[in-house]
Each structure stands twice: as structure tokens, then as C-alpha cells.
Amino acid sequence: MELFRRRKSSIVLLALALTGIVLLLYHTHSKVVVEAEAEEQREYLAIINQLNRNQQKSLKMRLLEKSIKKPEIVVVQDRTPQETVSAPAPSVAAQNSRYVHSSMKLGLALKTQHTSNQTAIVEAIKHAWSAYTKYAWGADEVKPVSMTSFTPSYGLGMTLIDCLDTLWLVGLQDEFDEAREWVANSLDIEGNTKRVSLFETNIRVLGGLLGAYHLSLDNLFLDKAVELARHLLPAFDTPSGVPSPIVNLKYGLKTSSGQRGIRPLSVAEAGTLQLEFRDVSKASGDSSFQTACDKDMNVLLEQGRGSMMPSMINPSSGRLHATGFSVGAGIDSYYEYLLKQWIQSGKTESKFVTAYTSSVKDIASHLVGHSLPSNLAFIGRANTRGTFPSGWMDHLSCFYPGMLALGLMNGLHPEQRPLASDLTQTCYTAYSKTPSGLAPEIFHFNMQEGGDDFVMRGVQSTDLSNILRPETVESLFYQYRLTKDSRYRDWGWKIFQAFEKHTRIETGGYSGVFSVLNTNKKQDKMESFFISETLKYLFLLFSDDPDVLKLDEWVLNTEAHPFPVWKL
């Protein structure tokens, strides 16, 4: 009996010892697991907190799609206290793995630290945006003087979408979030029966959605971009593949009565679709958009034989119209997109750079003139090859020296560096020579002995207007990125001050003026490109951050919307 009790006690002690060992092992294992999970969580949160709010939302949404459980994301930002972010419902694009392409640049962190000049420019952006939010929310454009929306309208919230990536870029997070909600809840593409300009809708709305997507990584914008591109795609349904300039978002090339109409369009309209349609194909994995725009571009390249082009083409025949040569209205951004498609492709599609090279050589040979008495270089218009260019140049042409500067950054045409500098000087001088410091819509040059370089008297009144155009400050931005010459910042600041003095409306917004000689009479219209381009380029001109839209990683469309360069 005593032996039994001893054995029983030994068994109990052994059992207790084993239990203790098991508990110790379990505790040790649990502690290791907990510590490992805690370390994983710390690393995860460290990564998350380096991102901005919408990047966090996008990342968490992707994690949810993969059924990966992670701890609640806590936002740490300089501009706001900590806050908890709830993940939005996965979008159609997010549910489709084709929409995430490894060669696309992912996001740009929102910047809230600005230089003193940038702070003033951001205040101007807020002032311009305030007029739209107060008087024209959801409309295409605002009339800031009469404090109402501008009609007619495409029903696409053009100003709102055109300005999204500007709001993001300059750090206006609250304004961006409010605009995002409108896109999510009020942008109706499927039910829109409007006839729209393919060119304007592409560069401003499709480009705006894509730019917002690439900076914020919010798949909502990619969803809407794909949806809009699908409704624009019927414009390419022509005998030649060159699109119609007008398309009905619901009925395609047919009107509501069933009639089908195709009319000629400018080469700029036909040749300024490719960055956007190629980008939406790359981002979505749907090649139909790039296939359509590449067919269109191939017709243009074949018709132009890769050199200087006239400005009109017929979509029915695919043939050019002999309308003279220039780099201004009707042709301008065609040349710009030759260079930028090559850059966008990672410099792999040589047909674009070949055509660009031939074109800029032709333009330098046939279209460059000089004024008297100061010998200011300008790009005029010639009716045929070999004829002396006319003595006028539109403000739109002031994109050209910036394009040359971008080409120079990529090793193209170093012999044209002086021309790029001279043309930039001319475009700025068109501002500095007027009483208001604002440039006119058309520059008329003196070509005879005596008088001033710019002719301001006896010209059409519309030629003296200023509609807040961006092309000169665009070229100042590219020239500064190329040279770091401080005079380009000095010129840009003087232009900004002229806009502030003569176009600012105290109740909100900015307005174009009917004459740069007397700015009292306002046009009562603020073009969407004033925020999306003019003020954006000024903001970028004064950026000291080398990581903001690096031009070897990003390419800007003709409305200044950023798309990533394809990584191979």
C-alpha cells in the first residue's frame, strides 16, 4: 500500500513536471510568436506610415483582396493628428489583376512643405479652386465674375477632374478628398448622352483621371478612366482609323436620331490622344485602346512622311489637307507627342523619335524668323515649304522651346539649344513688353526697319486677349530643369505677379482679360487649364525637391497630367 502511494506520488509529480515543461514550452513558443507578430506589425506600420492617406487606402484595399489580415492602419501625417483609415470597397479595376502592371511607376507622396514662392502659388490655387467649389461645383467650368457655371457643358466635371492631380501635388488633401467623393458618387459616364470633343475630353478628363490615379494609387480613378476610354473608343470607328473629332458618349459616332457624321479634324486633335490611350492600356492590361491610337498615329506618320506637317486631316480618307505649316493651333501638340511617346515607351519605339528629329530640323529650317530691331527669334507660319514665315506667332507656340528643352535632356539636337533659349526669351518678352505684364494671344512682330519688335496697334482686338494660358511658364519649367538658370524663375515670378494683379477676382477665381493693354474688362471665364497647367507649372518651377516629378520617371501630357515612363 505504501509502495502504491509512493508510486502514485511519483506519477503525480512526473505529470506535474511534464505539465510544467509543456506550459513552459507553450509559453516560450507563444512569446516568440507574439514577439514575431509584434515585430512584423511594427515593420508593417513603419512602412504604412511613410505613405500618404490615399496610398494607404489603396494598399489596404489590395491586402483585403488577397485576404491578408493585417492590424488596423494608423495614419501618421505631419498635417493632421493620427487617424484610423477604413478600407474602401474593392473596385472593379482592383479586382482584376491585369490592372496592376509591374512596369508602372507607383505613386507620388503628397508634399506639404513648400518654398516661399510655392506657398504663394498654393494660395492662388486655393483661391482659384474656391470659385469653382462655390459657384460651379460639378460643372465643367466657372464664370468667376458673375459667380455661376459656364455653359454649355459636357457633364463631366471638367475643371474638377482636370485639377485633381494638381490638388494632390501641392498638398491640398482635403480639397482632393472632396473632389474624389464627387467622382465616386456623381460622375456619370454611362448615362451621359452629350456630344463631346474627343481632344478636350481626352487631355483634360481622361488625362486628369489617369494623373490622379498614378499619383494617389486610388483605383477609383483608374476605374473611371477605363470606363471613359471605352465610351471614347467609338470615335476611331472611321474608314482610315483616324478618329472623328466629336463623339457622343452614349451613341458613338451616331447622334440620338441615328445619323452618322464624320468631319475633318486638326492634326493636333488626331495626334494628341496617344499618351492617354497608351497609358490606359498599360495600366489596365486592355490593349484595345493602344491598338486604336497606334493605328491613328501610323496614318499620321505615313501621311507626313515623318517630317513637318500641315494642320488638317480627313478621317474618311486619311489624307492631309494643304493648310500651311506652323507649330501653333491645329498642329502644336502633335510634335510634342512624338517626343513624349518615345519617352513614355522607355525610348524603345524609334519611329517616334525619328519623326520628331525630322520635324524639328524642318521647323528650324523653314519657320524661324527674327523681329526688328532686337532680332527676337520666333516661329511663324508658312503657306508652303520655302516661303518666308509670316510675322506672327500664337501663344500656343510657346510650348515649343520647352519641348526642345525636354529633347535636350534626352540627348536630342544639342545644336538647337540656342534656339530653345532664344524662343523662351521671346515668349517672356511678349509678357514684359505690355503695360500689364501679360502676353497677348497672338504676337505680331515688326519685320521692317523702325518701330518696336511687337506690334500692338492696328491688330484684331481678339489677338490682344489673355486667357490665362500656360505655354510660356511650361517652357520656363523645362528650361529651368535643363539649365538651373535662375532667370527662368525670375521671369516666372513676374508672370505670376501679373496674373495676381490683373486677373484675380476678389470673390474667388481668376478671369481672362479682353486686352492686355487695358485689363479692366474681364472675360468672366476661368479655363480649367489655369489650375491644371499654368499654376501647376509655376509650382513645379519653384520646387527644390529633386523627387517631385522627375522627368526620367514621369512624362506630362499636354494638359500637364503625369504618366509614368514604362519600365522594361
Side-chain angles (χ1 to χ4, degrees):
M1 192 68 174
E2 182 65 25
L3 179 61
F4 174 75
R5 282 196 298 269
R6 290 177 181 174
R7 289 179 177 175
K8 184 177 180 180
S9 298
S10 299
I11 291 172
V12 171
L13 290 172
L14 180 61
L16 289 172
L18 290 173
T19 301
I21 292 171
V22 170
L23 289 174
L24 178 62
L25 290 173
Y26 176 79
H27 175 73
T28 302
H29 173 74
S30 298
K31 185 177 181 181
V32 170
V33 170
V34 169
E35 289 180 351
E37 290 180 347
E39 180 62 26
E40 180 184 5
Q41 178 171 319
R42 285 192 293 271
E43 292 178 357
Y44 177 73
L45 290 176
I47 294 170
I48 290 298
N49 287 331
Q50 293 176 13
L51 304 178
N52 53 56
R53 190 190 316 176
N54 282 283
Q55 287 174 317
Q56 292 169 0
K57 289 180 181 179
S58 181
L59 177 59
K60 187 172 182 182
M61 182 167 59
R62 295 180 190 184
L63 293 173
L64 288 174
E65 291 159 18
K66 297 178 181 179
S67 300
I68 298 176
K69 294 183 179 179
K70 287 292 180 184
E72 191 66 34
I73 297 174
V74 178
V75 181
V76 178
Q77 296 187 27
D78 293 336
R79 60 182 295 276
T80 59
Q82 291 190 353
E83 58 182 309
T84 299
V85 175
S86 58
S91 63
V92 174
Q95 294 172 19
N96 187 341
S97 61
R98 294 182 304 130
Y99 281 72
V100 181
H101 199 287
S102 61
S103 69
M104 303 298 278
K105 175 74 175 179
L106 294 180
L108 182 70
L110 181 146
K111 303 292 183 183
T112 56
Q113 300 298 317
H114 302 136
T115 66
S116 59
N117 298 91
Q118 284 183 312
T119 298
I121 295 164
V122 171
E123 192 282 326
I125 292 170
K126 292 172 68 175
H127 186 75
W129 183 251
S130 71
Y132 179 75
T133 60
K134 288 187 291 187
Y135 311 130
W137 185 250
D140 281 343
E141 291 179 321
V142 63
K143 298 174 71 175
V145 177
S146 55
M147 295 182 286
T148 186
S149 61
F150 184 85
T151 56
S153 170
Y154 292 159
L156 293 171
M158 185 177 291
T159 291
L160 185 148
I161 294 174
D162 207 5
C163 298
L164 279 167
D165 53 40
T166 299
L167 298 176
W168 179 276
L169 185 68
V170 304
L172 297 178
Q173 182 75 66
D174 293 338
E175 290 84 349
F176 179 88
D177 289 345
E178 185 180 19
R180 181 200 183 278
E181 290 306 306
W182 186 91
V183 174
N185 300 319
S186 302
L187 177 59
D188 181 12
I189 298 171
E190 187 68 33
N192 193 320
T193 60
K194 301 279 189 178
R195 297 177 74 243
V196 303
S197 161
L198 176 64
F199 171 79
E200 297 292 355
T201 304
N202 173 70
I203 64 172
R204 300 195 199 200
V205 185
L206 182 58
L209 290 168
L210 290 168
Y213 164 68
H214 288 305
L215 294 191
S216 72
L217 301 181
D218 190 331
N219 282 308
L220 166 71
F221 300 118
L222 181 56
D223 280 344
K224 291 295 186 180
V226 172
E227 183 182 2
L228 178 60
R230 285 177 179 150
H231 284 264
L232 296 176
L233 202 56
F236 294 88
D237 184 19
T238 67
S240 67
V242 174
S244 168
I246 303 295
V247 61
N248 187 297
L249 290 175
K250 187 173 182 65
Y251 302 106
L253 295 185
K254 295 182 179 179
T255 65
S256 57
S257 61
Q259 298 297 314
R260 179 180 171 88
I262 302 173
R263 65 173 178 80
L265 74 166
S266 71
V267 170
E269 290 175 295
T272 314
L273 306 166
Q274 288 69 24
L275 286 183
E276 297 79 7
F277 273 72
R278 288 157 62 88
D279 184 78
V280 79
S281 276
K282 197 72 167 179
S284 69
D286 184 343
S287 62
S288 62
F289 309 112
Q290 181 169 349
T291 298
C293 74
D294 281 354
K295 181 179 180 181
D296 166 36
M297 178 54 71
N298 287 337
V299 174
L300 295 176
L301 293 176
E302 180 182 347
Q303 284 290 304
R305 296 178 177 84
S307 62
M308 194 170 70
M309 297 263 281
S311 61
M312 295 295 292
I313 189 167
N314 190 322
S316 296
S317 65
R319 294 185 180 277
L320 293 168
H321 290 186
T323 52
F325 301 93
S326 77
V327 299
I331 189 65
D332 47 358
S333 46
Y334 163 75
Y335 297 122
E336 176 188 356
Y337 272 37
L338 289 178
L339 173 62
K340 289 183 176 179
Q341 283 178 88
W342 175 64
I343 295 172
Q344 180 189 45
S345 74
K347 302 180 184 178
T348 61
E349 298 185 53
S350 59
K351 63 182 179 181
F352 299 126
V353 72
T354 299
Y356 170 80
T357 294
S358 298
S359 297
V360 297
K361 287 181 177 179
D362 264 4
I363 290 164
S365 298
H366 297 288
L367 297 183
V368 175
H370 293 83
S371 70
L372 293 173
S374 302
N375 202 37
L376 295 175
F378 66 90
I379 300 183
R381 181 182 181 86
N383 291 328
T384 59
R385 290 176 183 271
T387 60
F388 194 76
S390 63
W392 64 271
M393 168 181 169
D394 53 6
H395 191 284
L396 285 167
S397 300
C398 284
F399 87 96
Y400 194 81
M403 182 192 75
L404 290 179
L406 180 60
L408 285 161
M409 292 179 214
N410 288 275
L412 301 177
H413 298 290
E415 78 282 358
Q416 295 209 19
R417 191 181 188 110
L419 177 60
S421 176
D422 292 346
L423 290 172
T424 308
Q425 170 84 58
T426 299
C427 289
Y428 169 68
T429 305
Y431 283 79
S432 65
K433 285 291 187 180
T434 69
S436 62
L438 296 173
E441 180 72 1
I442 305 293
F443 313 157
H444 292 270
F445 294 96
N446 177 39
M447 307 290 287
Q448 299 177 358
E449 296 291 340
D452 296 327
D453 291 276
F454 291 93
V455 179
M456 296 288 182
R457 305 295 177 183
V459 302
Q460 292 186 26
S461 59
T462 53
D463 292 356
L464 296 174
S465 65
N466 181 291
I467 64 170
L468 314 175
R469 285 200 184 278
E471 290 79 20
T472 295
V473 293
E474 174 185 354
S475 283
L476 295 179
F477 160 70
Y478 282 111
Q479 286 282 29
Y480 182 77
R481 285 283 181 102
L482 173 67
T483 66
K484 294 295 185 287
D485 188 333
S486 62
R487 66 175 172 157
Y488 296 121
R489 282 184 165 180
D490 294 339
W491 294 350
W493 187 246
K494 290 177 181 177
I495 292 172
F496 173 70
Q497 289 178 313
F499 281 129
E500 283 291 293
K501 182 176 181 179
H502 296 287
T503 71
R504 183 183 176 104
I505 307 300
E506 288 308 311
T507 52
Y510 294 75
S511 173
V513 297
F514 283 104
S515 174
V516 298
L517 303 180
N518 183 347
T519 61
N520 290 330
K521 191 174 181 180
K522 303 295 192 287
Q523 294 178 331
D524 194 17
K525 185 179 181 183
M526 186 178 78
E527 296 274 0
S528 69
F529 56 64
F530 182 61
I531 299 177
S532 70
E533 293 188 79
T534 307
L535 293 177
K536 180 190 290 173
Y537 278 124
L538 283 166
F539 178 85
L540 291 171
L541 174 62
F542 290 98
S543 175
D544 292 326
D545 188 338
D547 293 325
V548 173
L549 295 183
K550 297 169 67 175
L551 296 178
D552 58 348
E553 296 181 349
W554 298 91
V555 60
L556 303 180
N557 86 334
T558 198
E559 196 77 3
H561 296 304
F563 304 155
V565 171
W566 299 350
K567 303 297 183 184
L568 304 177

